Amino acid sequence: MSENLKGLCTRASYLGYFGSYGKKDYVEGLSDINVVAISEDKTLLLELASEGFSPVVLSKEQLEKLCKEGDPLCLYIMKSEPICGELPNVHFVKTEKSCERLGKAVIPLYVISLLAFFRGDEKSSLENSYRTLRTLIQWRSCIENYDIPLSAEEVEKNCELLGLNFCQTFRDLLLLRRFNAPLTLWSLDKIAEAISNFMKTVKASKIYEETKGDVFKISVEDNGFIIEKSNKEKVFIPFT
């Protein structure tokens, strides 16, 4: 795969894999293959996406800004696996925004996982459930003034270091990912319980109780879910 990407090296000062690809976290057929390009050529974004990658294309100045603002994406890029070129000499500065961005990502990731579960998209539900708990632990680590862990192994260690009561749930998700096994309502409820230690959420089983297996449509509000049943009745389930 690297050989195919090397043809783009003349258009970027740096090209590399970031995220799970090439590490123990990557699961074939489940994980995205994230690629970062440091370049002024924004057409690389569409070109890489058309090849099935999940790309980020940044100029040197944009990367420097991300790092100064403490965006966790900077950390991922700094620890990326090079394909060609060299990264600019940048330094990540952890700020209040670092923790804030991680915290704000938890509920949206959980919602994506829930919606994927109810529409039968097992892979998306599993991967986004993993991302939910990973981000939750990263957020707590950031809040407690520890480093922001990136790999699954680092996240698991930090969970134990922080004394969080849902480390086993995270390990269970890692096992499910390894075997690409489907989630259950019980698994999603355990994730909701983990989130509820710090912020409002709703259990998947509560949503399922309202649907009763009918044809339904779920929409998401800032403060909860709206379920439209087959008889047009609408039920609101707030984050509590």
Side-chain angles (χ1 to χ4, degrees), residues 94-165:
K94 195 177 86 169
T95 66
E96 288 184 8
K97 286 185 178 180
S98 307
C99 304
E100 183 181 321
R101 287 176 180 176
L102 289 166
K104 285 183 175 180
V106 173
I107 294 297
L109 284 168
Y110 176 64
V111 169
I112 291 171
S113 178
L114 276 186
L115 295 179
F117 179 84
F118 284 111
R119 69 172 182 265
D121 188 344
E122 294 178 351
K123 290 186 177 181
S124 178
S125 182
L126 176 57
E127 188 65 2
N128 283 292
S129 290
Y130 161 71
R131 291 171 180 170
T132 300
L133 275 199
R134 180 185 65 185
T135 304
L136 181 63
I137 297 166
Q138 289 174 323
W139 172 55
R140 295 314 303 170
S141 185
C142 185
I143 290 288
E144 298 295 333
N145 291 319
Y146 292 103
D147 291 335
I148 299 173
L150 301 183
S151 71
E153 183 179 358
E154 291 169 342
V155 171
E156 184 180 352
K157 285 180 180 178
N158 275 51
C159 188
E160 296 292 348
L161 181 65
L162 292 163
L164 300 175
N165 63 2

Side-chain angles (χ1 to χ4, degrees), residues 80-92:
S80 59
E81 179 184 329
I83 297 169
C84 57
E86 292 185 1
L87 277 170
N89 186 22
V90 295
H91 300 282
F92 175 75

Side-chain angles (χ1 to χ4, degrees), residues 176-188:
L176 288 173
R177 283 183 82 248
R178 187 180 306 162
F179 294 103
N180 208 343
L183 287 172
T184 62
L185 278 175
W186 181 84
S187 301
L188 286 167

